[in-house]
Amino acid sequence: MICQRKKKKLIDFIFSKEKIEGGFSFTRSTPPTIEDTYFALRLLKELGENYVNKKTQEYIKKININEKTGLKQLYRLVYLYDFYSLYGNKLVVRNYFSSSVFNYDIDKISDIYYIVMIKELLKMGIELNQKVIGFLTGVTPEKLGYISECAQYVITMNKLRLPFVKERFIQWVRDAQNPDGCFGFTLKTTSFLENTYHALRALKVLGSKPRNMENCERFIYSCLTKSGGFGRQSNTVPTLEYSYYAIVNLKILDEMKKKGL
């Protein structure tokens, strides 16, 4: 995936974002955030690092949910609770989801995606109703338009074991690859690491690969900075989020190579 020297430098970069009071932040001078802590812990796990910090655990334990907590934020919180085996916090979320969450007003793919991901982490059964099935039926990549939504749809349908025209999504995602090797928000738009992350995750589930894997890998490495972290493009500020996307992207490409895709 990455050599030991680059790995060590990346780990140093991650810990440069750790707060004395626990958690992680974009800079040393700003308070810890759920987002940065989520990406830091996910990244350390991808790198095989056994991270233990009681202050970070306490920081996560004290974070509460409320009616204003969005589904994406809730998923990241549940991941953090699960990371530290905070069963009390997970029980609160389970109770929050005790009624059929699919009765919510669902108006986008991301809602269903995060609900499925949350329930999977909580080991809760997923009950489909006709409203959700109807919402998912007949969805096409052209209708969705964005790489991120296509990935969420493909992953959701795979987890729910629902049929869809996989070949159409494979072709659309592969056609979205730019000459520089990576992917934009939609067709023929500027490449960024986050969009490449979504595209590769979708292709992995679909059992396919990008048309040009070498250029894709080259683009990802071009985002590596002297600090050891990755930016969303070359010559951009490195963050924990984009560093996570970079490592997962490289890992997926390695898996594709090993499978001979």
Side-chain angles (χ1 to χ4, degrees), residues 109-144:
I109 291 297
S110 62
D111 291 343
I112 303 176
Y113 168 78
Y114 283 114
I115 289 167
V116 168
M117 297 295 281
I118 290 166
K119 285 201 162 190
E120 185 177 67
L121 277 176
L122 294 173
K123 295 180 172 56
M124 295 176 71
I126 300 170
E127 298 177 6
L128 297 178
N129 58 35
Q130 289 304 311
K131 180 180 178 181
V132 175
I133 293 172
F135 185 81
L136 293 171
T137 302
V139 171
T140 65
E142 293 83 5
K143 190 180 292 185
L144 293 171

Side-chain angles (χ1 to χ4, degrees), residues 35 68 78 81 89 97 119 126 136 194 204-205 232:
E35 181 180 54
K68 294 182 180 180
V78 173
Y81 296 158
N89 293 69
F97 273 54
K119 285 201 162 190
I126 300 170
L136 293 171
E194 67 267 36
K204 177 182 176 181
V205 170
R232 70 192 305 221

Side-chain angles (χ1 to χ4, degrees), residues 38 52 59 90 93 116 137 148 159 194 198 232-233 238:
Y38 167 81
V52 179
Y59 161 71
K90 288 172 70 175
V93 183
V116 168
T137 302
S148 59
K159 287 184 180 295
E194 67 267 36
H198 295 306
R232 70 192 305 221
Q233 277 186 318

Side-chain angles (χ1 to χ4, degrees), residues 112-261:
I112 303 176
Y113 168 78
Y114 283 114
I115 289 167
V116 168
M117 297 295 281
I118 290 166
K119 285 201 162 190
E120 185 177 67
L121 277 176
L122 294 173
K123 295 180 172 56
M124 295 176 71
I126 300 170
E127 298 177 6
L128 297 178
N129 58 35
Q130 289 304 311
K131 180 180 178 181
V132 175
I133 293 172
F135 185 81
L136 293 171
T137 302
V139 171
T140 65
E142 293 83 5
K143 190 180 292 185
L144 293 171
Y146 290 98
I147 288 284
S148 59
E149 290 185 331
C150 283
Q152 289 171 347
Y153 179 78
V154 165
I155 292 166
T156 299
M157 296 298 277
N158 184 64
K159 287 184 180 295
L160 296 178
R161 299 181 182 179
L162 293 175
F164 65 104
V165 185
K166 294 182 180 181
E167 292 76 16
R168 192 165 183 176
F169 280 84
I170 290 171
Q171 183 177 339
W172 192 90
V173 175
R174 293 187 80 200
D175 287 347
Q177 188 176 22
N178 289 322
D180 61 20
C182 282
F183 298 79
F185 288 98
T186 186
L187 300 177
K188 298 179 180 179
T189 57
T190 305
S191 294
F192 294 111
L193 275 186
E194 67 267 36
N195 302 313
T196 304
Y197 166 78
H198 295 306
L200 293 182
R201 287 178 79 214
L203 290 172
K204 177 182 176 181
V205 170
L206 293 164
S208 186
K209 65 177 182 179
R211 297 190 190 282
N212 192 324
M213 293 178 69
E214 288 184 6
N215 279 1
C216 188
E217 188 172 58
R218 191 176 296 116
F219 180 97
I220 295 165
Y221 276 115
S222 76
C223 301
L224 181 61
T225 67
K226 291 180 180 179
S227 68
F230 291 79
R232 70 192 305 221
Q233 277 186 318
S234 60
N235 301 315
T236 56
V237 176
T239 68
L240 293 167
E241 178 179 0
Y242 298 119
S243 297
Y244 171 72
Y245 295 145
I247 293 303
V248 174
N249 287 340
L250 292 171
K251 186 176 181 179
I252 292 174
L253 289 174
D254 281 349
E255 290 172 0
M256 289 174 172
K257 289 176 187 175
K258 288 174 182 176
K259 289 181 180 178
L261 293 175

